[in-house]
Amino acid sequence: MTLPLILCLVATVIPVFFGKIHSAPAWLSLQALALGWISMTRHSELSLHVLALGLEVLLVRAWLVPTLLRRALSGHSAARQDLMPSNLFAWGVAISLIILAFRFGDGARADVRALTLGVVAATVMIAFLILATSREPAAQLVGLLFMENALALFESLMPEPWALPVHLAVSGVYILTVAVGSWLVRGHLPAPSAAPALKEIP
């Protein structure tokens, strides 16, 4: 299970350092695929519960939510901006937070549970950093979605998966987050009639 955890970490770290906001849906899909991989392989036997969990991850986290986010970002000028400010100070803080997160999950190289805890902590800290450093609603929405994916990953540390009603509630919150966030992002689009109105002023 080490490979999907590393994939999940890469899908969180790369866009923060080198990604634009418009590429966030693809990285969220990659995170979801890694989560689905982890969910399907952590149990020795496939049950109806496990299959339902994998289907929820694929349909909601890997397809529906990234699609809604991609539509919200379409034509938005902020989509071409960096997810996090590209300066040495922000990068230094991000690297420090990632190191601190893996110190929190001590022994991450030797134990899968510790590595999982390190990835969860790193994702949450990166999400908080995005929320703290970016004023763009689109970037802040991506930070919230990163944080909710970290919550889903945290479930893999538990001896038994959450009950199906809990999964439905978590999925509902995830969809509600991107729905409300997309509405707020579209609300920050520049008004198309503003420029002509200025030209008419003598």
Side-chain angles (χ1 to χ4, degrees), residues 126-159:
I126 288 297
F128 276 122
L129 183 62
I130 293 173
L131 293 172
T133 58
S134 179
R135 301 180 61 182
E136 286 295 334
Q140 293 180 347
L141 174 58
V142 173
L144 288 176
L145 295 176
F146 276 11
M147 194 178 302
E148 294 192 26
N149 278 342
L151 175 64
L153 178 59
F154 181 76
E155 183 199 1
S156 65
L157 292 171
M158 299 181 178

Side-chain angles (χ1 to χ4, degrees), residues 88-98 126 129 133:
L88 291 179
F89 176 76
W91 282 24
V93 172
I95 293 172
S96 300
L97 289 177
I98 293 171
I126 288 297
L129 183 62
T133 58

Side-chain angles (χ1 to χ4, degrees), residues 24-26 28-29 32 56-73 141-142 144-146 148-149 170-179 182:
L28 285 169
S29 294
E56 179 268 335
V57 169
L58 291 177
L59 290 180
V60 174
R61 296 180 184 271
W63 176 72
L64 178 60
V65 166
T67 300
L68 294 175
L69 181 60
R70 190 175 291 109
R71 289 179 181 177
L73 295 176
L141 174 58
V142 173
L144 288 176
L145 295 176
F146 276 11
E148 294 192 26
N149 278 342
V170 172
S171 296
V173 171
Y174 196 63
I175 296 172
L176 184 63
T177 300
V178 75
S182 297

